[in-house]
Amino acid sequence: MAIFKKKRLSGKTKRSNAAHADQAGLLNWLKHFNKAPERIFIVHGKPSNTAALANAIEQKLKWHATVPERLTSILL
């Protein structure tokens, strides 16, 4: 799963990629958000791993997480 988060560095915005983190690392990163995201889409990884991560997010953080099927379009 690739995650992009904007960071401010010296007055400039930079996108950082935290790809290939393990489930515990991703949950730890997410729990430090000031506000829960409206939705989380898990779009990279083996189906069993993505489903497990979505389930862990819903169970531990009480946030809505989903694994869209391949080629699914979602209106944001």
Side-chain angles (χ1 to χ4, degrees):
M1 177 171 97
I3 297 177
F4 296 97
K5 183 178 179 182
K6 289 185 178 181
K7 292 185 177 182
R8 289 199 57 83
L9 301 171
S10 303
K12 296 187 180 190
T13 300
K14 178 182 178 183
R15 291 179 73 183
S16 68
N17 183 347
H20 300 286
D22 63 2
Q23 185 180 90
L26 290 168
L27 288 170
N28 185 53
W29 181 71
L30 289 169
K31 75 178 182 180
H32 287 94
F33 280 27
N34 292 328
K35 179 181 170 187
E38 289 182 32
R39 295 184 283 181
I40 297 175
F41 301 100
I42 315 290
V43 297
H44 178 73
K46 294 179 183 176
S48 60
N49 294 345
T50 56
L53 178 57
N55 185 51
I57 290 168
E58 292 198 346
Q59 296 297 313
K60 294 180 180 184
L61 301 176
K62 308 298 185 211
W63 297 351
H64 179 69
T66 189
V67 181
E69 291 189 29
R70 188 173 188 272
L71 301 177
T72 298
S73 294
I74 300 169
L75 182 61
L76 301 176

